[in-house]
Amino acid sequence: MKNELNRQWWKEGIVYQIYPRSFQDTTGNGIGDIQGIIKRLDYIKNLGVDIIWLNPIYESPNDDNGYDISDYRNIMAEFGSMADFDELLQKMKERGLKLVMDLVVNHSSDEHEWFKESRKSRDNPYRDYYHWWPAEKGTPPKRWSFFDVESNAWKYDEQTDAYYLHCFSVKQPDLKWENKKVRQEVYDLMKFWFEKGVDGFRMDVISFISKDTNFPELPASYNGEFIPFYANGPKLHDYLQEMNESVLQNYDVMTVGEAPGVTIDQALNFVDADRKELDMFFHFDLMALDREEGETFLMAKEKWKLSEFKKIHSDWDAVFAEKGWGSMYLNNHDFPRSVSRWGNDSRTHWYSSATMLQTFLLSMRGTPYFYYGEEIGMTNIKFDTISDYRDINTINRYKTIEANGGDLKAFLENEKDASRDNARTPMQWDNSKNAGFTTAQPWLKVNANFKHGVNVAEQDSNKDSVLNYFRNMVQVRKNNLALIYGTYTLLQKDNEAVYAYTRTLDDTVFLVLLSFSTKNTSFTLTEQSFEKAKLIISNDDAPSIKTDNIFELKPYQACIYKLM
Ligand code: TEU
């Protein structure tokens, strides 16, 4: 059994994601920077995490905050210089921290040299780096774009009388992976960073890179749902295998693909080690749970059910039971804060639900990804007016609704729960001005609750804080291989208040009990005897085991027991 574990550092590591723009400003311009991350490395190390994933720090005109890259081998001036980057990497290595960068190669910026050349003439050597549709062929078949005010992925460019494809904003033209030269450019830039010592890549919308370049009309089966169609490009797996063979296999690195539109039955095609593609990917099933059917950004009218939350995680765990490996996340820079979304950020329940959710991520199989501020329970900011927003996604959707005479008030209400800026507000370090993030005006408003306990300094000195619970729970995972590799068995499948499961490795069994309810709740576990169970960690002093296998949990209480 032990030999079959196939132990890997990226399976045992805990990832801490940093949105550099919002982490720590050291230059006084209101924008976070690389020196700011360096300044906080000891804090990060002391959390017990192992791997930092940095959102893009490359040169960019920032139409989409760095996801529009104009030079893949340079650092965005606002964030610092290559010397700062080298210093960061070196100081991380000194502390035994690994660095994962963001690889954004479905598209570049329109200000990238390749695109500047490509749009100059139809016979330019870079023409074929992007997808062009000559106007004499008529209007190109409908393709949908995320951040386009008209939702149109084709932009007409007068200079050569042709349209180019942009699945995201007009300033994010899609690279043409069908061109071997483009793929070679990508592999070369990956090598450039690996040679510097980077430990892996999170690959932005990697599921979208392959396209049918005939651009047929969308098959009717996609029914207006573009994302699964975009994710099903004909050559996707050929490209990933080629990338693995050309680059990845030569380095001890980890890869995690961002994979919107990838369904559970397609999962192993990406991460079955025998296929030599990726190590992990992020699925979007949980992110869709509280949204309207097929709508990434629209909150559902009905509240999500815990039984569905459990089903998503149980199904995905089962897929990777024998092969592949999962990645666990509750929020990131594209989705609202986890405690506001899956927990309860009211004063009464904030502490318990934030720590309960941490217990969940750290006791499931699959690599856990935490997003900066999650360790102190940062919450959604819920802006009231459009002028507070900075995200192209919210701003352009607002413009679309405005142009169509739609309901702007309803839209702003929706964004209070759904907007990406909820998750991008500055890190809350202490209770000084701007939460210690910057001495200047921050690029995005700071959440006022930094004055009410949601900050690092205050929580650091309080042993019963969300932060210190996080640190303890991290150690619980690290000290128990069964919590990493053990098999997962769901209990209480239909219970809408409690998520209960066991994790088992050889003779070791852990029982995890998580309340997702604002009320006290009791239940009976009949699967086995828990009489001799020993409590390992809980976010509440109240005892949860009563007699005869009857358990009682306080609101949002989390407990882990070891069965003896
Ligand atoms: O996101 C891809 C993606 O699918 C998102 O559009 C997602 O559905 C949306 O943000 C949900 O709110 C990646 C990056 O993570 C995102 O930040 C970028 O804006 C996007 O790609 C373009 O590079």
Side-chain angles (χ1 to χ4, degrees):
M1 178 74 189
K2 290 229 163 58
N3 290 337
E4 288 165 22
L5 284 187
N6 185 12
R7 295 183 63 170
Q8 303 281 354
W9 62 264
W10 45 266
K11 293 182 178 173
E12 297 179 20
I14 297 167
V15 182
Y16 186 76
Q17 179 192 348
I18 295 180
Y19 200 66
R21 212 174 185 71
S22 301
F23 200 59
Q24 176 72 74
D25 175 21
T26 60
T27 58
N29 65 351
I31 294 172
D33 46 56
I34 293 175
Q35 283 299 333
I37 300 170
I38 294 174
K39 181 174 158 193
R40 298 298 184 174
L41 281 181
D42 286 328
Y43 166 75
I44 297 167
K45 180 71 189 170
N46 282 331
L47 293 173
V49 301
D50 312 275
I51 302 161
I52 295 178
W53 153 28
L54 281 189
N55 286 105
I57 54 168
Y58 315 95
E59 199 176 283
S60 162
N62 281 313
D63 193 46
D64 183 21
N65 287 357
Y67 280 95
D68 47 320
I69 296 169
S70 51
D71 185 347
Y72 289 96
R73 294 165 199 244
N74 257 317
I75 302 293
M76 191 190 301
E78 281 174 337
F79 290 168
S81 64
M82 193 59 91
D84 293 320
F85 174 82
D86 292 339
E87 184 185 337
L88 170 68
L89 191 56
Q90 190 209 326
K91 292 198 164 148
M92 283 181 63
K93 294 213 182 282
E94 282 164 16
R95 288 166 177 77
L97 290 166
K98 306 240 184 213
L99 177 59
V100 167
M101 301 274 279
D102 220 304
L103 182 73
V104 190
V105 287
N106 172 69
H107 43 266
S108 72
S109 163
D110 66 339
E111 296 182 35
H112 194 290
E113 281 308 317
W114 300 334
F115 191 75
K116 287 190 193 161
E117 287 298 318
S118 186
R119 80 194 318 178
K120 275 185 187 161
S121 68
R122 288 190 179 190
D123 56 6
N124 187 284
Y126 288 91
R127 184 65 170 182
D128 221 22
Y129 271 46
Y130 297 86
H131 297 279
W132 290 98
W133 179 276
E136 62 272 18
K137 278 172 73 181
T139 315
K142 172 75 187 163
R143 287 294 181 273
W144 188 80
S145 161
F146 276 89
F147 308 141
D148 188 75
V149 181
E150 282 156 16
S151 303
N152 181 3
W154 292 106
K155 171 77 178 165
Y156 178 70
D157 204 41
E158 226 165 58
Q159 210 166 338
T160 55
D161 191 30
Y163 300 82
Y164 66 85
L165 183 76
H166 62 92
C167 294
F168 293 87
S169 94
V170 295
K171 288 183 65 63
Q172 292 169 299
D174 282 51
L175 282 160
K176 189 170 174 183
W177 275 69
E178 290 68 24
N179 179 353
K180 200 165 179 1
K181 281 192 201 151
V182 169
R183 303 203 298 277
Q184 199 52 55
E185 298 270 15
V186 172
Y187 305 151
D188 287 349
L189 76 91
M190 290 172 76
K191 283 181 205 155
F192 171 82
W193 292 100
F194 285 149
E195 290 301 324
K196 274 188 175 284
V198 160
D199 301 288
F201 281 114
R202 173 269 186 189
M203 302 183 180
D204 193 59
V205 280
I206 203 68
S207 50
F208 287 15
I209 56 177
S210 160
K211 279 125 189 152
D212 179 342
T213 51
N214 295 316
F215 294 103
E217 292 295 334
L218 282 180
S221 57
Y222 287 97
N223 247 340
E225 270 195 54
F226 293 82
I227 295 174
F229 175 76
Y230 279 3
N232 276 322
K235 292 268 175 69
L236 176 58
H237 293 289
D238 294 345
Y239 298 157
L240 291 177
Q241 282 168 16
E242 184 186 72
M243 177 198 277
N244 192 303
E245 202 190 320
S246 315
V247 194
L248 298 172
Q249 64 161 358
N250 302 321
Y251 301 92
D252 176 22
V253 292
M254 66 165 253
T255 51
V256 52
E258 189 209 24
V262 172
T263 55
I264 203 160
D265 51 305
Q266 300 160 344
L268 286 178
N269 293 342
F270 292 81
V271 296
D272 173 349
D274 296 336
R275 288 173 55 90
K276 297 196 166 59
E277 296 191 17
L278 303 177
D279 296 321
M280 295 173 269
F281 69 85
F282 296 120
H283 69 75
F284 276 63
D285 285 2
L286 182 68
M287 297 298 116
L289 178 61
D290 62 352
R291 304 291 156 100
E292 286 298 338
E293 187 80 33
E295 295 277 352
T296 317
F297 310 116
L298 204 61
M299 300 303 296
K301 282 177 204 77
E302 276 175 38
K303 194 177 159 13
W304 56 277
K305 283 204 178 117
L306 182 60
S307 53
E308 290 168 355
F309 185 101
K310 294 194 258 192
K311 184 173 180 345
I312 290 169
H313 290 107
S314 305
D315 289 352
W316 279 92
D317 178 83
V319 171
F320 301 132
E322 304 292 333
K323 290 182 148 202
W325 189 252
S327 41
M328 298 289 305
Y329 72 106
L330 292 170
N331 57 188
N332 62 32
H333 63 292
D334 288 335
F335 291 98
R337 287 280 174 187
S338 59
V339 65
S340 302
R341 190 177 185 189
W342 310 116
N344 183 317
D345 62 12
S346 71
R347 265 197 196 199
T348 325
H349 299 301
W350 166 76
Y351 168 82
S352 303
S353 65
T355 49
M356 182 277 290
L357 292 168
Q358 294 173 348
T359 314
F360 168 64
L361 273 196
L362 289 166
S363 63
M364 287 292 281
R365 182 155 54 177
T367 299
Y369 290 75
F370 286 92
Y371 182 59
Y372 82 93
E374 199 171 0
E375 74 277 23
I376 57 167
M378 277 174 60
T379 66
N380 286 351
I381 192 160
K382 294 176 182 276
F383 287 132
D384 285 316
T385 66
I386 189 68
S387 59
D388 283 333
Y389 286 97
R390 297 289 171 270
D391 181 16
I392 182 172
N393 184 22
T394 298
I395 293 170
N396 283 7
R397 281 163 53 236
Y398 183 92
K399 285 183 189 159
T400 308
I401 295 169
E402 197 172 39
N404 298 332
D407 188 345
L408 288 170
K409 208 167 148 240
F411 171 75
L412 286 175
E413 273 311 299
N414 184 73
E415 292 306 277
K416 284 187 185 176
D417 292 319
S419 84
R420 306 197 297 182
D421 277 343
N422 271 317
R424 297 177 178 184
T425 62
M427 179 65 178
Q428 296 167 202
W429 293 107
D430 54 41
N431 60 15
S432 69
K433 194 179 164 217
N434 295 322
F437 165 69
T438 181
T439 51
Q441 168 106 339
W443 75 276
L444 184 68
K445 277 189 184 164
V446 179
N447 192 316
N449 64 14
F450 77 88
K451 293 192 200 94
H452 307 288
V454 191
N455 72 68
V456 170
E458 222 168 295
Q459 293 193 24
D460 192 42
S461 56
N462 171 4
K463 79 172 183 25
D464 294 320
S465 61
V466 177
L467 176 61
N468 281 318
Y469 183 88
F470 177 79
R471 289 171 172 148
N472 293 338
M473 186 56 220
V474 163
Q475 292 313 314
V476 169
R477 183 178 181 88
K478 300 212 128 174
N479 295 331
N480 294 289
L481 222 49
L483 289 178
I484 300 172
Y485 293 106
T487 50
Y488 157 96
T489 309
L490 178 65
L491 313 174
Q492 297 279 304
K493 178 170 159 280
D494 300 316
N495 189 328
E496 294 294 355
V498 175
Y499 194 169
Y501 48 91
T502 54
R503 300 293 314 282
T504 308
L505 187 68
D506 301 326
D507 300 333
T508 312
V509 181
F510 286 95
L511 170 68
V512 182
L513 302 177
L514 309 167
S515 163
F516 278 71
S517 170
T518 54
K519 303 197 180 75
N520 290 345
T521 163
S522 76
F523 54 97
T524 309
L525 292 179
T526 49
E527 286 77 2
Q528 59 195 99
S529 166
F530 297 104
E531 233 173 293
K532 289 193 183 144
K534 185 179 156 224
L535 185 67
I536 302 292
I537 190 167
S538 176
N539 61 356
D540 196 299
D541 291 337
S544 56
I545 298 197
K546 306 287 167 193
T547 50
D548 299 332
N549 280 11
I550 299 178
F551 289 77
E552 188 173 279
L553 295 179
K554 297 278 170 208
Y556 294 105
Q557 186 171 357
C559 311
I560 300 185
Y561 291 94
K562 191 169 182 184
L563 305 194
M564 302 296 182

